[in-house]
Amino acid sequence: MSYSVNGNGFDEEPAAGPCLRTFLRSLGHYGVKKGCDAGDCGACTVWLDGSPVHSCITPAFRAEGREVTTIEGLGSPGHLHPMQRQFRDAPGFQCGFCTAGMIMTSATFTEAQKADLPRALKGNLCRCTGYRGIEDAVKGVVGVETAAPGRAVGTSVGAPAANDVVTGRAEFTMDTRIEGMLHLKVLHSPHAHARIVSIDKSAALALPGVHRVYTWEDVPRRRFTTAIHTDHLVDPDDTFILDRTVRFVGQRVVAVLADTPGAAEEGCRKVDVEYEVLPAVFDPELAMAEGAPQIHGAEDPFVRDPVRNILLEIHSHIGDVEAGFAEADVVHEGTYSSPRVQHAHLETHGSIAWMEDGRLNVRTSSQSPSIAKVKLTYLFALRPDQVRVFCKRVGGGFGGKQEVISEDLAALATLDTGRPVCFEYTREEEFTTASPRHPMVLTVRLGAKADGTLTAVRVRNVSNTGAYGNHGGETLFAGSAAVMVYRCPNKQYDAYSVYTNTVPSGALRGYGMTQPAFAVESAMHELAIALHMDPLELRRRNIVRPGDPLVAMHDGPDDVVFTEDGLAKCIDLVDRALARTADEPSPGPGWLVGTGSASSLRETAPPTEHISEAWVTLGDDLMYELAVGTVEFGEGTSTAHVQIAANQLGTTPSRIRLVQSDTDRTGFDTGAFASAGLFVSGNAVLKAANAVRDRILEFAAAHTGVHLVMCSMADDGVVCGDRRVSLAELVALARARGIRFTAARKAYGSPRSVVSNTQGFRIAVHRVTGEIRILYSVQATDAAVLINPAQVRGQVEGGVAQGIGFTLTENYHVDENGAMVNPNFRNYRIPAYADVPGTEVLLVSSGDSVGPMRAKGMAECCINPVAPALANALHDATGVRYRSLPLTPERIYSRLGESQSVQTA
């Protein structure tokens, strides 16, 4: 069969049955990405004779005799296609995994299609950007700026990898081939709770191409937690690589290793497993009840109460809550529930392992290669020097890759066979086995005086940690932040992390605070209505102020720096913005219009210890090499780190060469989560860059005989008084004396700052269909000093978009047997371009930070106030309070008749 790809003709006979995407990737065209296998996400878009197609649903044979164009053939780093240049200069990407497909689609648009992007982009999904950066790119809006030497901070410079991302040359985890690589697939449990009686491997091992079948008897019998934290003791060691007892539908039962993915899948189908089915429980309240099935027995040492299936419970209070309610003029109580939510990062989990010089190498899609290495050395009893773990560019994370869930099996198979092994999740496995957001049910009781002064706050939080406790305890502690927002002398927080026979919950953007924020901020709105008070005014009267203790679960000292009233400024900005847009027309008859707002507060780093080490070296080529362990997956830390280093070294970002996320080439780094990639790692970069700068200046001062205070960095040289000395001269002199301009510095997640956010919405609700249209969206955030203004806005826009999906469209359906029934993008429904409005981002500038250059990480917190602000706007429009998410049209419509106050806008 004859093919032409990017203008190169050749004869090839594809294997039977592959799609065009698989065929192109086998030829080395890795810009064609694998995101969904179903034609839903568009990451695999290529051209056939100039027309865009989803190559994952296009059979390879249909390309015979036709011209195939991939992103690599559209343009090169030196000769960009106009649309590639526009995506680079907007910027129109964050993690970049969807970017090739977006560009291949957008580059074909007519002017009419550009004017109707909701329709034109309906086949391409992005989980990172919120689509505004993509819209700017398609329309040719330029947002990237050029930084002058020593003036990088505060400038919207482009990402270091921008050219590679827009040309498809940026390497992601699976964008490689290793000679002799084997493929691993997993057989998953069909039962929510069962004990394995026997496993017959014989039929699978008899298949051509199958090399191994691993069961619970073939793996190290070492307990561990898949969750990633520096202090592993905060998570329970309640998991095995493979176990004899399965506790949720989808749990790994058997791993099959074969020459091809198809052979491995067939091997899984041939394995015969006999189960003893055990009683299961799916609701955490029922799991805590007397007589409930025990999910983890007493032999699991990390379970707080195995009889009641409680991983962890928290009971804390300050003051006298009952007395506070007794003195209240108004008391409000409500119960609010938040469902599971999947991360839906377009790059699925995956790892590639191989042996090299007697060492285990693991290339993985992780938010923390350093801690992944620690876990692998423990699981397989290896020395640290026997293991290397590293990441290329990671295609989205949002907390989902703060787990070790693919590295262990790939490493196991490589250590066993000595062969390279690839283990890549399917999209269905992401939905059914990777860790979603914790479902939580919160009961909030608030008491207040007639003037709005809070007298008592009580919150009961029941969190469904699923079958295993990864992140179960830490998210429960994090949830207390919702109680921290408001001053009150009497507070009580009772919380339970409960095991059930459902998919294990994990870390997701907002990390345990998103669900309580929905509950508390909804309750505050309801309290304001009962008090006949404006909800924003009620918040103003009760928010914590500088000098107040940030009291959540105790009134002891903490390490939080809180010196400026950022939250009050955020509330005022959103209040004015909503008033400014109040006269905008409604969509027409039959639509009900309402406004709503909500606020949140969180610390800029997790309370558990966070560590990062950065290395800066001036090389012989006069480039500065910056080595830092933080992973880049769209949060923009790579750009920020380069900016910080360039700023302090008096140069431009183009002269910083970045090495990152490789345990052989960088120091220890806890990981890029909880916004610590900027706050902690950024401080390490700042300290290392300052140390190298000071060494260069001291050397230059001694060389020239000019006093140190008269010396300053000047891009490729040093100015000492009225003399300029080139870096080339200084490096040569230093080398001759055995001196290197290099330094390593560490930073820690303490002390911490506080990030504030307020979100506002104006929405329209159709009284017949229950459809919600967002007419206006605004978020104000206390960003402190902006390292990269465009990136800050992009993170807020992306966080709001994710929050809108969490609130309105995403629905994780689980049947009566505990199995997810809609494990694909088409039925789960993350937001597309048409679902996401533009969000006006209002930035509060302050110096209230101990972060690098007094900056604060923005990526985590911006999602937290979105759901309650939408719910509050819905109540304002309809007069009906909805306390359970998601707010789907059928759920809204079914209750619209309850209110007699509903008026047509």
Side-chain angles (χ1 to χ4, degrees):
M1 300 176 73
S2 297
Y3 293 89
S4 178
V5 180
N6 298 330
N8 298 313
F10 58 95
D11 293 328
E12 185 81 14
E13 194 69 30
C19 64
L20 181 56
R21 180 202 64 204
T22 299
F23 180 50
L24 291 170
R25 287 182 62 83
S26 74
L27 298 173
H29 300 288
Y30 294 119
V32 185
K33 296 293 186 254
K34 177 182 178 181
C36 69
D37 297 311
D40 294 333
C41 74
C44 66
T45 303
V46 301
W47 292 353
L48 273 185
D49 294 334
S51 297
V53 299
H54 289 184
S55 61
C56 72
I57 55 172
T58 303
F61 72 82
R62 290 193 178 169
E64 183 185 13
R66 304 173 71 181
E67 180 60 39
V68 179
T69 306
T70 73
I71 188 70
E72 294 94 338
L74 192 65
S76 64
H79 298 86
L80 296 178
H81 182 278
M83 190 57 69
Q84 290 173 314
R85 185 178 302 110
Q86 288 169 212
F87 267 76
R88 181 196 66 185
D89 294 345
F93 66 91
Q94 287 181 19
C95 84
F97 197 81
C98 74
T99 304
M102 286 284 182
I103 291 173
M104 296 304 292
T105 299
S106 302
T108 67
F109 285 170
T110 64
E111 289 304 314
Q113 287 174 307
K114 291 179 183 179
D116 189 10
L117 289 181
R119 178 177 295 275
L121 282 175
K122 66 180 181 179
N124 291 78
L125 296 176
C126 175
R127 191 58 155 171
C128 297
T129 64
Y131 297 100
R132 293 313 105 188
I134 291 169
E135 177 184 305
D136 286 347
V138 173
K139 294 181 177 179
V141 177
V142 175
V144 168
E145 301 171 330
T146 301
R151 296 290 185 270
V153 168
T155 305
S156 295
V157 303
N163 274 349
D164 287 337
V165 168
V166 300
T167 57
R169 288 160 173 79
E171 278 193 51
F172 290 81
T173 308
M174 294 297 161
D175 296 344
T176 188
R177 292 174 64 188
I178 302 176
E179 190 67 28
M181 187 162 67
L182 302 177
H183 296 267
L184 189 144
K185 290 290 183 179
V186 169
L187 174 68
H188 302 279
S189 170
H191 303 293
H193 198 192
R195 184 174 295 107
I196 296 171
V197 177
S198 66
I199 300 176
D200 186 350
K201 313 176 183 180
S202 56
L205 289 170
L207 286 172
V210 171
H211 292 259
R212 296 284 194 278
V213 176
Y214 299 106
T215 74
W216 67 274
E217 295 177 294
D218 303 309
V219 302
R221 196 68 179 164
R222 288 195 166 196
R223 294 181 182 275
F224 76 113
T225 174
T226 61
I228 282 176
H229 290 109
T230 303
D231 182 359
H232 71 93
L233 297 177
V234 301
D235 305 298
D237 288 338
D238 59 4
T239 306
F240 293 101
I241 296 174
L242 295 171
D243 201 352
R244 188 178 183 180
T245 300
V246 292
R247 296 178 173 89
F248 69 98
V249 174
Q251 182 166 333
R252 305 189 306 198
V253 176
V254 168
V256 176
L257 187 66
D259 289 329
T260 65
E265 288 175 359
E266 182 62 19
C268 289
R269 286 189 283 269
K270 293 293 185 181
V271 175
D272 183 16
V273 183
E274 181 184 351
Y275 299 93
E276 176 194 350
V277 177
L278 303 173
V281 60
F282 308 118
D283 181 274
E285 291 285 2
L286 296 177
M288 289 190 289
E290 183 178 353
Q294 290 186 28
I295 299 169
H296 290 267
E299 72 274 9
D300 287 359
F302 294 92
V303 183
R304 174 69 61 87
D305 186 345
V307 175
R308 298 172 61 212
N309 293 306
I310 295 175
L311 164 66
L312 178 72
E313 55 184 300
I314 299 169
H315 301 286
S316 62
H317 73 277
I318 55 172
D320 186 334
V321 172
E322 291 305 326
F325 285 120
E327 65 175 297
D329 296 313
V330 174
V331 174
H332 165 74
E333 182 171 329
T335 297
Y336 308 83
S337 63
S338 301
R340 288 178 183 82
V341 180
Q342 234 291 325
H343 307 79
H345 34 68
L346 292 192
E347 179 200 45
T348 62
H349 284 84
S351 297
I352 300 172
W354 69 94
M355 300 301 294
E356 187 174 320
D357 298 326
R359 301 176 71 224
L360 174 66
N361 287 256
V362 180
R363 169 173 167 150
T364 187
S365 180
S366 172
Q367 291 177 231
S368 177
S370 292
I371 297 181
K373 173 180 173 175
V374 170
K375 288 185 182 291
L376 292 178
T377 57
Y378 161 73
L379 284 171
F380 300 106
L382 299 170
R383 300 190 312 271
D385 65 305
Q386 292 177 296
V387 181
R388 174 198 181 200
V389 178
F390 69 101
C391 300
K392 293 294 186 178
R393 195 171 182 91
V394 173
F398 316 113
K401 294 172 181 173
Q402 196 185 337
E403 306 272 353
V404 172
I405 58 176
S406 64
E407 296 87 349
D408 54 346
L409 282 178
L412 168 78
T414 287
L415 290 169
D416 177 39
T417 64
R419 298 275 297 274
V421 172
C422 171
F423 178 28
E424 182 178 15
Y425 273 46
T426 65
R427 180 55 57 188
E428 182 172 339
E429 285 174 321
E430 285 291 332
F431 277 112
T432 57
T433 69
S435 301
R437 190 187 297 282
H438 290 74
M440 290 184 182
V441 177
L442 294 103
T443 299
V444 180
R445 183 174 170 86
L446 304 174
K449 292 286 193 180
D451 65 358
T453 303
L454 288 174
T455 61
V457 175
R458 175 186 287 152
V459 175
R460 181 180 187 266
N461 183 0
V462 178
S463 175
N464 187 343
T465 195
Y468 296 95
N470 45 307
H471 298 283
E474 288 298 276
T475 52
L476 206 65
F477 278 102
S480 66
V483 181
M484 183 178 70
V485 179
Y486 299 106
R487 288 179 292 167
C488 183
N490 309 298
K491 294 181 180 181
Q492 183 173 329
Y493 183 66
D494 298 298
Y496 306 83
S497 182
V498 186
Y499 286 113
T500 63
N501 292 115
T502 58
V503 61
S505 303
L508 204 164
R509 193 179 204 164
Y511 199 76
M513 291 173 277
T514 312
Q515 308 93 311
F518 167 64
V520 171
E521 290 300 289
S522 295
M524 284 292 288
H525 185 98
E526 293 189 69
L527 178 64
I529 300 302
L531 289 165
H532 307 289
M533 183 178 292
D534 178 79
L536 280 170
E537 181 58 29
L538 179 64
R539 291 187 178 88
R540 277 196 196 92
R541 294 189 183 189
N542 289 286
I543 56 172
V544 292
R545 306 276 183 170
D548 292 339
L550 290 175
V551 175
M553 295 185 296
H554 61 82
D555 55 3
D558 57 42
D559 63 347
V560 179
V561 175
F562 180 45
T563 60
E564 294 188 31
D565 203 355
L567 184 53
K569 295 175 184 177
C570 290
I571 291 172
D572 290 344
L573 284 174
V574 168
D575 195 5
R576 289 196 291 269
L578 290 172
R580 170 169 42 84
T581 60
D583 295 331
E584 294 183 4
S586 74
W591 291 88
L592 312 168
V593 176
T595 60
S597 60
S599 296
S600 68
L601 196 74
R602 69 171 293 273
E603 296 98 338
T604 52
T608 50
E609 187 171 312
H610 207 104
I611 307 168
S612 182
E613 183 175 8
W615 307 338
V616 174
T617 301
L618 177 58
D620 291 340
D621 60 357
L622 306 184
M623 292 282 290
Y624 293 96
E625 183 171 281
L626 167 60
V628 61
T630 307
V631 178
E632 176 60 61
F633 54 92
E635 78 282 26
T637 53
S638 295
T639 314
H641 291 165
V642 166
Q643 287 181 259
I644 292 167
N647 203 80
Q648 300 310 101
L649 293 165
T651 189
T652 60
S654 62
R655 294 191 59 243
I656 307 294
R657 180 170 55 243
L658 184 63
V659 176
Q660 60 187 146
S661 56
D662 186 331
T663 60
D664 269 12
R665 302 182 63 194
T666 61
F668 184 89
D669 188 279
T670 296
F673 53 86
S675 295
L678 174 69
F679 189 80
V680 182
S681 303
N683 263 333
V685 170
L686 177 69
K687 292 177 180 180
N690 284 345
V692 169
R693 177 201 62 195
D694 293 346
R695 290 185 182 184
I696 293 171
L697 292 176
E698 289 166 3
F699 188 88
H703 171 62
T704 60
V706 176
H707 198 281
L708 180 61
V709 297
M710 300 296 290
C711 298
S712 61
M713 303 295 293
D715 198 10
D716 61 350
V718 176
V719 174
C720 295
D722 56 2
R723 179 181 171 186
R724 179 186 177 91
V725 185
S726 70
L727 288 180
E729 179 182 348
L730 293 174
V731 168
L733 289 169
R735 285 291 190 202
R737 302 179 192 177
I739 297 172
R740 295 181 66 212
F741 297 126
T742 185
R745 293 292 185 271
K746 295 179 181 179
Y748 302 86
S750 181
R752 300 174 291 155
S753 305
V754 174
V755 179
S756 308
N757 306 76
T758 298
Q759 174 71 41
F761 284 110
R762 174 167 291 101
I763 68 169
V765 186
H766 198 279
R767 63 181 303 150
V768 175
T769 65
E771 176 191 352
I772 289 179
R773 290 186 187 176
I774 298 175
L775 306 178
Y776 177 61
S777 170
V778 59
Q779 184 169 128
T781 184
D782 175 12
V785 174
L786 304 182
I787 302 294
N788 189 305
Q791 284 194 168
V792 170
R793 289 186 174 89
Q795 288 299 316
V796 174
E797 289 166 350
V800 172
Q802 234 174 348
I804 289 170
F806 164 54
T807 310
L808 301 183
T809 67
E810 298 176 40
N811 209 340
Y812 195 109
H813 288 288
V814 177
D815 67 16
E816 65 277 7
N817 298 313
M820 188 196 188
V821 297
N822 58 322
N824 54 64
F825 283 140
R826 188 162 304 184
N827 295 319
Y828 177 75
R829 275 277 282 128
I830 70 171
Y833 176 92
D835 299 311
V836 181
T839 292
E840 183 176 2
V841 179
L842 306 175
L843 302 173
V844 172
S845 182
S846 72
D848 183 26
S849 178
V850 289
M853 318 297 292
R854 294 197 174 278
K856 297 180 181 181
M858 291 287 102
E860 181 89 13
C861 54
C862 45
I863 194 173
N864 291 332
V866 175
L870 275 170
N872 292 338
L874 180 59
H875 177 264
D876 186 53
T878 65
V880 180
R881 169 55 59 174
Y882 296 83
R883 294 175 179 166
S884 296
L885 300 176
L887 303 174
T888 55
E890 61 271 19
R891 182 173 290 175
I892 294 169
Y893 172 73
S894 68
R895 293 189 54 213
L896 279 181
E898 294 178 15
S899 174
Q900 301 301 313
S901 62
V902 173
Q903 301 293 322
T904 302

